[in-house]
Amino acid sequence: MQVLVRDNNVDQALRVLKKKMQREGLFREMKERRAYEKPSERRVREKAQAISRHLKAARKQMQREGLLPGPKRAVAAR
């Protein structure tokens, strides 16, 4: 991963790097690897994540088809 530092602005480059790492899921992976995870716990976690992904995809599909109301949008304060 590479970030360019422009005009010696290290703070901005650090923010960009953190955003890229967040998008790639590196922080989540580092947190998971902090301690040993038993294979049985790993299977349970992965199955729960797969179910969650499936339910989210089904919910989005139903919203696209008009069977469920869409996500609420924030109203700009005046």
Side-chain angles (χ1 to χ4, degrees):
M1 197 170 300
Q2 191 174 24
V3 177
L4 297 175
V5 179
R6 296 182 184 151
D7 300 328
N8 287 334
N9 194 347
V10 178
D11 293 331
Q12 183 181 9
L14 188 60
R15 279 197 308 270
V16 171
L17 177 65
K18 284 183 178 180
K19 192 177 284 188
K20 281 186 177 186
M21 290 173 68
Q22 182 75 32
R23 257 189 254 127
E24 294 291 324
L26 281 173
F27 290 124
R28 187 180 319 116
E29 187 176 339
M30 286 176 6
K31 184 178 178 183
E32 288 173 0
R33 290 176 185 244
R34 215 171 269 163
Y36 178 74
E37 185 178 26
K38 290 171 41 178
S40 60
E41 292 173 348
R42 181 170 158 240
R43 279 192 300 272
V44 169
R45 178 181 52 81
E46 288 177 349
K47 185 167 186 164
Q49 287 175 341
I51 291 170
S52 176
R53 278 193 312 272
H54 176 74
L55 291 175
K56 182 177 179 181
R59 187 173 55 248
K60 286 192 170 279
Q61 180 67 31
M62 291 176 75
Q63 286 175 351
R64 280 193 296 269
E65 292 173 358
L67 299 174
L68 286 177
K72 295 181 181 176
R73 295 190 175 134
V75 179
R78 292 181 185 187

